[in-house]
Each structure stands twice: as structure tokens, then as C-alpha cells.
Amino acid sequence: MSMATDAAPLPPTGLRLSLTLALQGAILGTFFAASAAPTPLYRLYQEQWGFSPTMLTLVFASYAFGLLAALLTIGALSDHVGRRPVIFGALALELASMGLFFAAADVNHLILARLVQGYASGAATAAIGAGVIDCDRRVGPLVSSITPMVGMAVGALGTATLILYAPAPLHLVYALLGGLFALQAALIWATPETGPTKPGALGSLVPRVRVPVAARSMLLRVSAPNIALWSVGAFSLSLMPSLVKAATGITSPILGGLLVCALTLPGASAVLLMRPVAPPLGLRICSLLVAGGFLVILAGTHVGSAPVMVGGMLVTGFGFGGAFMNAVRLLVPLATPGERGMLLSAFYVESYLAFSLPALAAGALAHTLGLVATADLYGAFIILLALTGALVRLP
């Protein structure tokens, strides 16, 4: 295979570099805003359609299943055909999912919409994650780490605000997001291609998880904290509003949005504040914060204090963002440009398995044990993994 075939195009420079990074970061943030937008609506959906907590976690997990399917099939496609075509396809599919949400008439329609949304998000996550690093290996991981968390905060709090102050809360947010995705789909073609092109695109669609040899040991070492933090995210975006209601009696629709913000905005702050810290030390510190923060959440649950629960979420969120960023910083330098999409795809497969399976288990347990007892078991699982991550030896 010739060197010319494998080489990535020269990245844009100056203003074009800034615009390319800004647009890809904005697209990534919008995808994650859309992923969090249904969280404050889940209670309304439950009231309207009468489904159980188990079904709620299935709706939530269907997003992760769609995302995993994308990562397993087209996660490495952008390493072969370039970043722009994959990002455009993901935007078109996400736009279709907004239409499905808008037209949803029962919980089965909601599951279908989440599946399509997850597949679109999986395609976008791998391609954009690799694309921003193509542009700048220093700034790229920062963009990949901070924009998803800011996006989730904006999506959840924005939806909660629409519930309180705007008409048609189950429809308006999807119409607004759909318009934004349509605009981004047009704009992506105005940016230069930054990814490599090489043969093997069809072969890359065969479902498999491949990790570059040089990154395998590191991926294993960061797995425990990575699973812990994504399990925290899953619980926060699915069952946490119901847990706060069960523990405190608070039913305000703004609650779901505030809880997501309490997780993601400190996470975004951690990405900025932890940059000067060496990745191994940063991962250890943030793993401890995830463990300690969730312990505070459980304490708040048992004393029935929403402020304590939110405080614990703030601490957990800081650990969430810092641990994720440092895991990416430890992994990405171990892959060549032609392997970045493949590595990030494998990393997100692990992440979204942790984002779906524990949440499904929690939903099933909540039906028999209740939310508070389920939270205790779930918290013990997260704390154990986070402490393991803090103790693992890193180079």
C-alpha cells in the first residue's frame, strides 16, 4: 500500500482551521444536545402513555444500542472515505430521527426514534472525534471532551425551559433541533476534508471491534474508570429525576434539566481546569471524585435532601469530565491518523455498553426493589469501579 494512499490531506490552516474546528465541535455538541433533550420529557411521556421504569430504561438504552450498531459497522468508515461524507450522512439520519420524535404516538415509536438517533450519533461521534484531532492534536481532544458535555447541558435545560414556557413541549424541541441539523448538513461541505482516504471501505463495514496493538494495554487500564463514569451518565439521564422525586417529593419539570447540568457543566469545567495535570494523575484524581461524589448522592437520597444530591452530582460531574478527557489523552497518541477512527470506535463501544447495560439492569431492579435500594446497589458498582481506576498503574 503506497504512502500516498494512506496519507491524510494537509489540515487547514489559519481561519479555515478555526472554522473547521468550530463547525465540527458545534455539530458534535448539537448531537449530544439532542441526545439529552428527551430527559426532562420522560416524565411527561410516562404520564401520557403509562409505561414502567423498566420501559423507561429500555427507551433510554435503545439510543445506546443504535449507537453501538453504528460504531460496529461504520465506526471506522471515515478512515477510508474521509470525515465529511460520514458526518453528512449522520446529520441526515439525525434529522430523520427528529421527525420520528415529532410524530411519536406511543412508547414503541419513541424506542424507534431513539434507535435511529443512536445510530446517527454513533456515526458522528467516531468521525468528528477523529476529524477534530486531524485538525489539531492538542485542541482536538479538548473539543471532543468538552462539547458533548456542554451540548447535553444545553439540550436538557433547554427542553426543560420549553416545557415551562413554550407550547407543545413534546414537539417544539425536535422541530428546533431538526432545523439546526439541516443547516449543519449544508455547512459541512464548505469545510475542507481532513481525514485519510484509502481502500477497504466496504470491508470496514463488517461488524468488528479492533484496537490498534499499541493502544490495547492502555485501553484495558482505563476501562474501569471509563465504565464507571459512563454508568454514572446513564443513571443520571434516565432514573435520577425519578430518584430525586422518590427521595424528596420534588416534581418540577426543570429538575431533569438541572440534574443534567449538575453533571455536565462541572465536567466541562474539569476538561479546562485539568489540562495542565499529567493524564495519569488526572485520571486518578477524577476517578476518586466520581466515587466520592456518588457516595454523597446516595447520602442525599437517604436523608431526602435535594441540595445534597445535587452537590454530589456536581462533584461526580467534575470527575466525569476529567476522567473522560484524560482517558482520551492517554489513548489517542497511541494511534496513527489512519487508526484514529478505529480506536475511538472501540473506545466508544465500551463506553456505550456501560451507558446501556447497567441502566437496563437498574430499571429492572427498580421494579422489584424500588428506586432507593436500586440506587444503593448501582452506586456500589460505580464506586468500586472508580476506586479500581484510581489504583491502576498508569505510565
Side-chain angles (χ1 to χ4, degrees):
M1 189 174 294
S2 67
M3 292 181 61
T5 302
D6 288 334
L10 290 175
T13 57
L15 181 60
R16 296 189 78 201
L17 171 63
S18 300
L19 291 176
T20 301
L21 280 170
L23 179 59
Q24 292 194 4
I27 293 171
L28 186 63
T30 309
F31 267 95
F32 277 85
S35 76
T39 295
L41 298 173
Y42 284 145
R43 185 176 59 84
L44 300 182
Y45 285 127
Q46 281 186 292
E47 291 174 356
Q48 181 168 317
W49 298 330
F51 54 86
S52 67
T54 303
M55 185 60 71
L56 170 59
T57 54
L58 179 59
V59 171
F60 176 80
S62 61
Y63 170 86
F65 292 149
L67 192 145
L68 286 170
L71 293 177
L72 290 170
T73 53
I74 59 176
L77 185 61
S78 73
D79 288 339
H80 297 271
V81 302
R83 314 304 183 199
R84 288 188 306 176
V86 178
I87 295 171
F88 175 80
L91 285 164
L93 197 57
E94 182 77 356
L95 183 58
S97 77
M98 294 298 101
L100 291 171
F101 276 116
F102 189 91
D106 58 35
V107 69
N108 293 322
H109 294 162
L110 200 58
I111 290 172
L112 176 61
R114 287 290 279 175
L115 280 168
V116 175
Q117 183 186 43
Y119 197 90
S121 298
T125 297
I128 296 175
V132 295
I133 294 169
D134 292 336
C135 294
D136 193 314
R137 290 188 63 177
R138 181 181 61 86
V139 177
L142 180 65
V143 172
S144 295
S145 299
I146 196 170
T147 53
M149 286 175 282
V150 173
M152 285 191 288
V154 171
L157 192 57
T159 301
T161 303
L162 291 177
I163 293 172
L164 289 175
Y165 302 111
L170 297 180
H171 299 91
L172 181 58
V173 63
Y174 303 121
L176 295 174
L177 286 168
L180 190 52
F181 285 123
L183 175 63
Q184 291 172 343
L187 291 177
I188 192 62
W189 294 110
T191 64
E193 179 59 71
T194 62
T197 57
K198 61 183 179 181
L202 289 178
S204 72
L205 302 179
V206 177
R208 59 182 175 270
V209 177
R210 293 180 297 155
V211 180
V213 174
R216 289 176 184 173
S217 175
M218 184 58 68
L219 180 59
L220 182 62
R221 296 181 187 190
V222 303
S223 288
N226 188 52
I227 292 170
L229 67 93
W230 283 94
S231 297
V232 166
F235 194 85
S236 302
L237 293 172
S238 58
L239 293 177
M240 188 63 78
S242 298
L243 177 65
V244 174
K245 178 183 176 182
T248 68
I250 297 175
T251 60
S252 171
I254 205 72
L255 177 64
L258 291 176
L259 287 170
V260 175
C261 289
L263 177 74
T264 57
L265 293 183
S269 300
V271 171
L272 296 173
L273 296 174
M274 296 293 290
R275 289 177 68 193
V277 181
L281 177 59
L283 186 59
R284 292 190 185 97
I285 291 172
C286 291
S287 296
L288 291 173
L289 290 175
V290 169
F294 212 89
L295 189 61
V296 174
I297 291 171
L298 295 178
T301 300
H302 284 281
V303 300
S305 171
V308 173
M309 295 178 74
V310 172
M313 186 70 80
L314 291 170
V315 175
T316 304
F318 192 94
F320 177 97
F324 179 73
M325 178 194 67
N326 283 296
V328 172
R329 289 171 69 192
L330 287 165
L331 282 171
V332 165
L334 303 177
T336 65
E339 295 173 333
R340 285 176 191 152
M342 177 175 63
L343 173 59
L344 288 172
S345 176
F347 180 60
Y348 282 116
V349 165
E350 175 186 89
S351 301
Y352 280 95
L353 282 173
F355 198 60
S356 56
L357 298 182
L360 280 175
L365 286 173
H367 186 68
T368 56
L369 300 181
L371 280 170
V372 174
T374 298
D376 288 339
L377 290 174
Y378 199 94
F381 168 74
I382 288 170
I383 291 167
L384 178 62
L385 283 176
L387 291 177
T388 300
L391 296 174
V392 168
R393 182 181 179 186
L394 297 169

